Amino acid sequence: MPNLQPYANPMYFVIIVVLLLPLMIALARGTRLKIYETIVSAVFIFLMFTGAKWHEGVALIVYCIWQVALVLLYQRERHGKNRTGVFYTFVILAILPLAIVKLTPVFDPVPSLLGFLGISYLTFKSVQVIMELRDGTIKEISAWPFLRFLLFMPTISSGPIDRYRRFTKDYDKAPEHDDYMDMVATGIHYMFLGFLYKFILGYLFGSIMLPQVGAAAMAARGASGGLGLSWALVGYMYVYSMYLFFDFAGYSLFAVSISYLMGIRTPMNFNKPFIAGNIKDFWNRWHMSLSFWFRDFVFMRVTFYIMKHRLIKKRVHVSQVAYLINFLIMGFWHGVTWYYIVYGLFHAGAIIINDIWLRKKKKSNLPSNQWTKALAIFITFNVVCFSFLIFSGFLDTLWFH
């Protein structure tokens, strides 16, 4: 049986659009064919895990049973005593499969049997639901709506990360005819923009230019006393940054596009990140669903915990510690390697420095005009590109292999 990876080639879009046509016709008439949508989604998810990936499909089934059980058990607890220790235990148990998958390469070169495509994004959704049950923002949840949210087909592999209440609101009520026609037009626009990003620009930067500048940088690895600092390395930094953006932004556009065709307004992941005026603005534009998830479920909760227990007196230091923890966790989430961890610490340091600068700027009479804004964008762009060089792992290859 053929293995069908999400958004891997143009034929994938032909197949999915043809199969979604009955659903789209019904949505245009104000009706959602929930059973048909479930069948089509199940077929595509099944085809993601056929052939050599069959073991990932088994892992996905076991994972879903685990997460559904945790959510339903915690809901029962939440309706009872709502104990803090139990809440933390359930959050840890929800994260446990992902933690095992991420830590396994540290001890064993063979990947964990628990791993499958999309485990990170499903874990974010599960943890989010448990935390919102704790907060009371989700009052009631049952197995099928949670599973439907967890396994929403367009976003299962790499996001964007939606919110349960927003997703359910869209799913439970079909859009009005005119609204859905606008969604279809927007979805088609995003699809073709995704083709430009991923299959043209992403290919240009990733498959054509990146190997060339990478080879040139490796050829100059003896420069600067063995540090390999060269113009070719600078070129690699910029080319990789462009490749990373266009490849991932294109993939995210595809997910949003198919979501819109299915009548679900999945949030966007990117908003012109390279015109950000500072590093905090960058994180409000880059991989936004992930950034906002970490803001709401890590940064804000760490901040609240520190302030509630009065662990740190000065509020400015509270936010600095919260940033450090937030981005350190983000670094570890990408992988337990030095360059991912340094990447996280680098961004934590950049945001802390940015906050210090903004506070001093308010007290000064420094000019603010188009030239200073352009300078801010230029500096931010280069800081971000340098962080992507760290993230790429190329320095690990250049220096240690």
Side-chain angles (χ1 to χ4, degrees):
M1 188 171 291
N3 182 270
L4 197 62
Q5 290 303 293
Y7 318 124
N9 55 65
M11 184 54 63
Y12 180 91
F13 297 90
V14 174
I15 297 171
I16 198 169
V17 169
V18 168
L19 290 180
L20 287 179
L21 275 177
L23 175 65
M24 295 170 62
I25 293 170
L27 283 169
R29 295 178 176 179
T31 303
R32 182 179 294 279
L33 302 179
K34 294 184 178 181
I35 296 176
Y36 180 78
E37 178 179 334
T38 300
I39 293 172
V40 171
S41 297
V43 168
F44 273 89
I45 293 172
F46 174 76
L47 292 175
M48 286 172 57
F49 299 105
T50 52
K53 292 182 176 289
W54 68 268
H55 59 284
E56 292 190 26
V58 174
L60 173 63
I61 294 171
V62 173
Y63 175 89
C64 289
I65 294 171
W66 174 260
Q67 296 294 356
V68 169
L70 286 177
V71 166
L72 296 182
L73 285 172
Y74 182 70
Q75 178 175 231
R76 182 181 298 178
E77 160 67 20
R78 177 64 179 84
H79 290 165
K81 296 181 180 180
N82 190 24
R83 293 167 290 186
T84 300
V86 174
F87 163 68
Y88 287 135
T89 299
F90 272 86
V91 169
I92 291 170
L93 289 174
I95 297 172
L96 184 61
L98 176 62
I100 293 173
V101 170
K102 293 292 184 179
L103 290 172
T104 294
V106 178
F107 307 101
D108 190 343
V110 179
S112 170
L113 293 176
L114 297 178
F116 59 87
L117 180 65
I119 186 172
S120 291
Y121 296 93
L122 269 61
T123 301
F124 289 137
K125 290 182 176 181
S126 298
V127 172
Q128 171 207 143
V129 167
I130 291 174
M131 288 187 171
E132 291 192 335
L133 281 169
R134 160 78 169 187
D135 297 341
T137 52
I138 295 177
K139 303 297 182 182
E140 198 76 32
I141 193 169
S142 55
W144 177 244
F146 172 65
L147 199 59
R148 186 173 58 211
F149 166 68
L150 196 66
L151 296 177
F152 184 53
M153 181 266 295
T155 63
I156 187 174
S157 57
S158 294
I161 308 165
D162 209 344
R163 301 298 173 94
Y164 176 78
R165 287 175 296 155
R166 200 220 62 76
F167 172 84
T168 302
K169 184 178 178 181
D170 275 6
Y171 187 87
D172 287 344
K173 184 180 180 181
E176 298 292 333
H177 175 80
D178 290 344
D179 288 342
Y180 182 64
M181 290 298 97
D182 289 340
M183 291 178 71
V184 171
T186 303
I188 293 172
H189 170 73
Y190 287 159
M191 185 180 295
F192 281 99
L193 187 61
F195 274 108
L196 172 64
Y197 277 21
K198 183 171 177 63
F199 293 127
I200 298 178
L201 296 176
Y203 177 81
L204 172 65
F205 284 108
S207 298
I208 297 178
M209 297 178 64
L210 197 62
Q212 296 179 14
V213 292
M218 289 298 292
R221 66 190 306 175
S224 304
L227 291 177
L229 304 181
S230 64
W231 286 112
L233 183 61
V234 174
Y236 185 94
M237 177 181 78
Y238 290 123
V239 171
Y240 178 81
S241 297
M242 294 301 102
Y243 160 69
L244 183 65
F245 168 69
F246 286 116
D247 184 75
F248 194 18
Y251 197 103
S252 295
L253 282 167
F254 291 148
V256 174
S257 169
I258 300 302
S259 299
Y260 273 45
L261 297 185
M262 295 174 69
I264 302 293
R265 295 183 184 275
T266 292
M268 291 291 286
N269 241 354
F270 296 89
N271 180 25
K272 302 176 182 177
F274 292 137
I275 64 168
N278 57 58
I279 199 68
K280 187 177 290 186
D281 184 28
F282 170 78
W283 279 107
N284 287 329
R285 297 169 175 270
W286 176 271
H287 204 343
M288 295 184 291
S289 66
L290 177 70
S291 176
F292 297 161
W293 190 96
F294 269 90
R295 178 198 65 192
D296 295 342
F297 299 106
V298 178
F299 176 82
M300 294 301 296
R301 290 171 188 271
V302 169
T303 300
F304 176 76
Y305 183 87
I306 292 173
M307 294 179 68
K308 179 181 178 181
H309 295 276
R310 299 180 180 179
L311 301 179
I312 299 173
K313 293 182 178 180
K314 290 187 177 182
R315 181 166 295 187
V316 63
H317 292 159
V318 172
S319 64
Q320 290 172 352
V321 171
Y323 280 131
L324 187 63
I325 293 172
N326 183 81
F327 281 98
L328 189 60
I329 292 173
M330 186 183 289
F332 273 105
W333 166 68
H334 280 104
V336 188
T337 58
W338 72 264
Y339 44 89
Y340 288 142
I341 297 167
V342 170
Y343 169 80
L345 293 173
F346 179 89
H347 273 281
I351 284 192
I352 290 170
I353 292 170
N354 179 72
D355 276 0
I356 294 171
W357 162 251
L358 290 178
R359 285 196 301 273
K360 289 186 176 181
K361 186 180 177 182
K362 285 183 180 180
K363 299 177 182 178
S364 66
N365 294 319
L366 292 174
S368 179
N369 52 52
Q370 59 180 353
W371 300 108
T372 59
K373 291 178 181 178
L375 178 62
I377 292 172
F378 175 78
I379 293 172
T380 303
F381 173 73
N382 282 278
V383 167
V384 167
C385 287
F386 180 71
S387 76
F388 287 157
L389 175 63
I390 298 171
F391 177 85
S392 71
F394 184 75
L395 294 178
D396 183 66
T397 303
L398 185 69
W399 293 340
F400 304 119
H401 302 285

